[in-house]
Amino acid sequence: DTEVTQTPKHLVMGMTNKKSLKCEQHMGHRAMYWYKQKAKKPPELMFVYSYEKLSINESVPSRFSPECPNSSLLNLHLHALQPEDSALYLCASSQDPSRPNIQYFGAGTRLSVL
Amino acid sequence: DQQVKQNSPSLSVQEGRISILNCDYTNSMFDYFLWYKKYPAEGPTFLISISSIKDKNEDGRFTVFLNKSAKHLSLHIVPSQPGDSAVYFCAASEGRNYKLSFGAGTTVTVRA
């Protein structure tokens, strides 16, 4: 089983709203990631959690706030987003943060900011 | 600065023939390479990977070749099937750096 589950699949929000994206995996993976993907572009790394601790923040604006409540869950809290933040947000996980290994992706949340 | 490049944005191939996708990289410290396939409105699906200590890895219809001296890798799909029509991303990582650097992707269309 290599499933990463993301909810919701689609989200429309206004610039003053607060919403959260959720990601879950039950593969025992100890690294989890948030990526942002714009149309016809490759995924861009936003955050990395290793053993439930934030290890990489790719200079992401503070209106995006990640949270890792436990080893299976990853959240991305959204507040005061801009229309240019509209994109596909992908969650991924990998087995062992200490060595190169396969990242498994969820289906993504399609976010539209109005 | 794009460290992983896929210079062919699209590829059209007839069903049953070979698809060859190419990828070049500039960072000589990359030591692990992956190919992902992506359908519209879905996340990338892992296809095949290769470590820098190898020059070839095969899994069913998919074979990845790595030429370290040329900083080049390729993905061969034989035979191509209609379900292979998708966007293919090449990705690379360096040592214990978690970050995957992705190429821009190649859209493959398999014609019946």
Side-chain angles (χ1 to χ4, degrees):
Chain A
D1 181 16
T2 56
E3 188 171 355
V4 176
T5 303
Q6 290 187 244
T7 55
K9 291 192 185 304
H10 302 276
L11 179 63
V12 180
M13 60 186 291
M15 290 189 286
T16 59
N17 291 158
K18 285 186 181 180
K19 297 286 185 182
S20 296
L21 310 184
K22 296 186 184 301
C23 175
E24 191 168 0
Q25 57 87 13
H26 295 288
M27 297 177 278
H29 288 178
R30 303 314 301 271
M32 297 186 76
Y33 313 77
W34 280 115
Y35 287 83
K36 173 182 177 180
Q37 186 175 24
K38 302 283 265 185
K40 299 191 185 301
K41 298 287 188 182
E44 296 178 12
L45 183 67
M46 299 174 72
F47 302 103
V48 180
Y49 273 83
S50 172
Y51 298 101
E52 296 101 69
K53 289 186 174 15
L54 182 65
S55 59
I56 294 179
N57 176 341
E58 290 283 303
S59 302
V60 179
S62 60
R63 58 185 183 269
F64 295 91
S65 175
E67 178 197 19
C68 189
N70 59 57
S71 61
S72 299
L73 294 174
L74 187 65
N75 298 321
L76 186 63
H77 303 296
L78 314 173
H79 174 56
L81 294 194
Q82 304 297 311
E84 59 264 29
D85 296 322
S86 297
L88 180 68
Y89 287 84
L90 294 164
C91 174
S93 70
S94 65
Q95 185 175 21
D96 182 353
S98 66
R99 58 187 179 89
N101 48 77
I102 301 162
Q103 291 185 22
Y104 295 95
F105 286 81
T109 294
R110 175 73 59 188
L111 174 67
S112 298
V113 181
L114 304 178
Chain B
D1 181 28
Q2 190 110 12
Q3 299 186 76
V4 179
K5 298 178 183 178
Q6 294 176 256
N7 292 319
S8 297
S10 63
L11 172 69
S12 180
V13 63
Q14 194 162 12
E15 182 179 1
R17 304 296 290 268
I18 184 170
S19 293
I20 299 177
L21 292 81
N22 293 304
C23 178
D24 297 295
Y25 60 95
T26 56
N27 185 347
S28 58
M29 300 301 290
F30 284 148
D31 57 6
Y32 191 63
F33 304 88
L34 308 91
W35 284 94
Y36 286 87
K37 171 181 177 180
K38 187 178 185 301
Y39 293 119
E42 293 186 11
T45 302
F46 169 73
L47 272 179
I48 192 168
S49 63
I50 188 167
S51 165
S52 60
I53 61 173
K54 295 186 175 182
D55 55 18
K56 177 182 175 181
N57 189 25
E58 192 171 353
D59 184 0
R61 297 185 298 114
F62 302 94
T63 302
V64 56
F65 296 91
L66 176 62
N67 183 334
K68 290 186 291 294
S69 60
K71 295 192 184 68
H72 177 83
L73 65 156
S74 62
L75 175 68
H76 292 205
I77 307 173
V78 183
S80 299
Q81 299 175 353
D84 295 332
S85 296
V87 179
Y88 289 78
F89 289 101
C90 171
S93 68
E94 170 192 339
R96 295 188 175 192
N97 187 333
Y98 310 127
K99 180 176 178 178
L100 281 182
S101 296
F102 283 88
T106 297
T107 301
V108 172
T109 303
V110 180
R111 308 184 311 271

